[in-house]
């Protein structure tokens, strides 16, 4: 139903090895989830699991992890990593708005600000419906998204940097432009070297705190807590992140 919305917004993930190398040392979300789960080893579901940065260490702790991602290349890399570390995880290519897993769980999580890939009201609604379908009564959904800080989004940002990719040096021009009507930040990066030039891009939807609370209520969730970071910082207007911990309302 919504496949084009996602498939046209994946160019930043076309090199799984590079993506994995960039984020492999980030553990704040993993630490949060490990502390939350404790010794509970019931099956859990990770949405937008990417290269397995969280799924693999959680499986090593004894959790049964079902990982879903829309990008086959990311999952192939995750499977290769899991095999090299002798870890068993259940991976499948799926659209998170149309989940079709063989289980229901008490806990579903999604990190890396992946919520921002759901660009429209329709896809956000479909995500919550799909998640709720795969949660047991009273089950919990944990995810993060960037907090919209208006004075930062209001100005077009252009910045340049030098990066190395596969031994080749690129001059990179990054541009970010926010559309207040759609609440989408359009980001493009132009890579220029002596031999190559290419552009990749990503679009990111911003959701406001009260808008998020309404979405949760609309889809039968109750808010447990909003944190300002994965280290449980107090959430306020200047927080970079919203970490949302919600629960399916029991009838």
């Amino acid at each position: 139903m919504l496949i084009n919305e996602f498939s046209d917004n994946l160019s930043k993930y076309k090199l799984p090895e590079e993506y994995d190398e960039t984020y492999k040392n980030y553990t704040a979300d993993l630490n949060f989830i490990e502390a939350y789960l404790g010794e509970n080893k019931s099956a859990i579901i990770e949405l937008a699991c990417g290269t397995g940065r969280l799924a693999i260490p959680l499986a090593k702790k004894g959790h049964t992890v079902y990982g879903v991602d829309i990008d086959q290349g990311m999952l192939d890399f995750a499977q290769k990593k899991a095999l090299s570390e002798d870890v068993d995880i259940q991976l499948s290519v799926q659209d998170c708005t149309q989940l079709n897993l063989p289980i229901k769980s008490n806990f579903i999580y999604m990190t890396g600000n992946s919520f921002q890939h759901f660009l429209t009201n329709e896809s956000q609604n479909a995500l919550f419906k799909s998640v709720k379908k795969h949660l047991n009564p009273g089950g919990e959904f944990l995810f993060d998204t960037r907090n919209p800080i208006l004075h930062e989004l209001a100005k077009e940002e252009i910045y340049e940097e030098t990066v190395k990719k596969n031994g080749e040096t690129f001059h990179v021009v990054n541009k970010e432009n926010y559309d207040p009507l759609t609440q989408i930040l359009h980001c493009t990066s132009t890579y220029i070297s002596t031999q190559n030039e290419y552009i990749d891009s990503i679009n990111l939807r911003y959701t406001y705190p009260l808008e998020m609370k309404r979405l949760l209520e609309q889809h039968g969730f109750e808010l447990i807590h909003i944190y300002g970071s994965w280290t449980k910082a107090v959430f306020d207007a200047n927080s970079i992140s919203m970490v949302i911990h919600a629960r399916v309302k029991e009838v």
Side-chain angles (χ1 to χ4, degrees):
M1 178 177 66
L2 300 161
I3 194 75
N4 289 335
E5 179 177 324
F6 306 122
S7 60
D8 292 341
N9 200 30
L10 298 173
S11 66
K12 288 283 186 183
Y13 309 112
K14 62 187 175 185
L15 298 173
E17 298 90 342
E18 183 179 292
Y19 180 89
D20 192 68
E21 182 67 23
T22 300
Y23 295 104
K24 67 179 183 181
N25 294 321
Y26 182 77
T27 59
D29 47 2
L30 176 62
N31 295 338
F32 184 114
I33 292 167
E34 285 181 335
Y36 166 80
L37 291 173
E39 296 304 313
N40 184 349
K41 298 298 191 289
S42 59
I44 58 177
I45 298 170
E46 180 177 359
L47 307 183
C49 67
T51 59
R53 179 178 62 86
L54 300 182
I56 291 171
L58 287 170
K60 283 183 176 180
K61 292 276 188 177
H63 302 286
T64 300
V65 184
Y66 285 77
V68 170
D69 202 284
I70 203 166
D71 189 280
Q72 182 69 61
M74 299 287 268
L75 288 184
D76 288 345
F77 188 85
Q79 188 64 64
K80 184 171 70 173
K81 275 175 57 181
L83 289 172
S84 71
E85 299 182 37
D86 196 27
V87 174
D88 183 30
I89 51 178
Q90 310 299 315
L91 299 175
S92 59
V93 177
Q94 294 195 33
D95 175 347
C96 292
T97 67
Q98 302 178 66
L99 292 173
N100 185 21
L101 294 167
I103 65 158
K104 286 191 172 186
S105 175
N106 292 323
F107 184 64
I108 295 177
Y109 65 96
M110 180 171 67
T111 71
N113 300 304
S114 296
F115 187 77
Q116 291 189 268
H117 281 283
F118 301 88
L119 301 178
T120 63
N121 292 346
E122 291 75 16
S123 61
Q124 288 184 347
N125 290 338
L127 170 69
F128 281 114
K129 289 177 182 177
S130 188
V131 167
K132 188 178 180 184
K133 179 182 173 183
H134 284 78
L135 282 171
N136 293 319
E140 298 180 10
F141 183 29
L142 179 70
F143 63 99
D144 64 345
T145 188
R146 294 178 183 87
N147 183 36
I149 301 174
L150 282 178
H151 70 269
E152 294 184 2
L153 290 172
K155 56 186 179 183
E156 181 180 41
E157 185 170 358
I158 301 175
Y159 61 97
E160 301 181 19
E161 59 185 332
T162 300
V163 301
K164 285 193 174 182
K165 289 175 175 282
N166 300 319
E168 191 172 357
T169 301
F170 288 87
H171 176 70
V172 186
V173 180
N174 301 289
K175 295 183 181 181
E176 298 181 357
N177 193 301
Y178 179 68
D179 183 340
L181 295 181
T182 61
Q183 299 174 205
I184 292 174
L185 182 70
H186 302 278
C187 310
T188 60
S189 298
T190 303
Y191 291 79
I192 305 167
S193 74
T194 56
Q195 297 178 322
N196 294 298
E197 180 173 341
Y198 68 93
I199 296 175
D200 68 19
S201 62
I202 192 168
N203 296 322
L204 302 169
R205 165 80 181 265
Y206 279 78
T207 303
Y208 292 85
L210 286 179
E211 186 182 10
M212 183 67 75
K213 290 179 182 178
R214 180 193 56 77
L215 272 169
L216 293 170
E217 291 172 2
Q218 175 185 336
H219 293 287
F221 289 85
E222 59 183 347
L223 180 65
I224 298 173
H225 205 93
I226 297 182
Y227 298 101
S229 72
W230 285 106
T231 57
K232 296 188 176 181
V234 174
F235 176 73
D236 61 31
N238 296 312
S239 297
I240 294 173
S241 296
M242 285 193 284
V243 177
I244 311 294
H245 190 182
R247 178 193 298 121
V248 175
K249 292 179 182 177
E250 296 191 60
V251 180

